[in-house]
Amino acid sequence: AILHDIEIQVLIEIVDAEIIGHESQLKQVLINLLKNGLEAMPDGGVIIIQLQATLEKVLLTIQDHGAGIPKDILPKIGNPFFTTKEKGTGLGLATCFSIIENHRGKMYIESEENVGTTIHIELPRLQNY
């Protein structure tokens, strides 16, 4: 982030909201999503990570202000082997979706060209597992 003049803001709005998960898999999801956000903003910018909770879920949002994803491509995002990157494999987001689903969660993406992308992740709280 520092090398690309990108600031990462973290907004945590919860206390005492636990989830059950495989730590290394969830780290893989976060690293991949942050890496995608960094790559979407080659001229710098801000990535906002927000953590909230409801009675049933922990909600994680990662928002960048990059190039965004065209509407015609958005439905294909997350399909195995689909990529818009020159050297991409098309497995990064597919793996993220799979990991979140295996944790009984949901992941969805909102994006607008020239505005940015927001990724929403919902995971069940421990008491609801």
Side-chain angles (χ1 to χ4, degrees):
I2 292 169
L3 295 174
H4 297 284
D5 194 28
I6 295 176
E7 177 186 352
I8 298 177
Q9 296 178 357
V10 179
L11 309 169
I12 299 176
E13 302 176 14
I14 62 173
V15 289
D16 195 30
E18 296 179 301
I19 61 170
I20 292 179
H22 195 279
E23 183 178 351
S24 64
Q25 289 180 357
L26 293 172
K27 280 183 185 178
Q28 180 181 356
V29 169
L30 292 174
I31 289 168
N32 188 45
L33 297 177
L34 285 171
K35 185 175 178 273
N36 287 349
L38 293 171
E39 291 172 358
M41 298 187 299
D43 298 324
V46 177
I47 293 177
I48 300 169
I49 302 170
Q50 188 171 16
L51 192 60
Q52 301 171 299
T54 67
L55 291 174
E56 298 85 25
K57 305 173 200 173
V58 172
L59 310 167
L60 175 68
T61 305
I62 300 173
Q63 180 181 27
D64 70 55
H65 296 94
I69 303 167
K71 287 193 184 310
D72 61 322
I73 292 177
L74 195 56
K76 300 173 188 175
I77 296 293
N79 290 341
F81 306 109
F82 176 80
T83 185
T84 59
K85 297 178 183 178
E86 189 175 310
K87 295 183 180 180
T89 63
L91 293 175
L93 281 174
T95 300
C96 290
F97 276 104
S98 177
I99 289 170
I100 296 303
E101 287 174 13
N102 288 338
H103 282 79
R104 296 179 46 194
K106 296 177 187 171
M107 184 171 109
Y108 55 98
I109 300 173
E110 296 177 310
S111 190
E112 187 175 336
E113 276 188 279
N114 303 314
V115 175
T117 300
T118 303
I119 299 178
H120 303 273
I121 297 174
E122 299 176 358
L123 293 167
R125 288 182 66 167
L126 179 61
Q127 70 267 23
N128 296 304
Y129 215 83

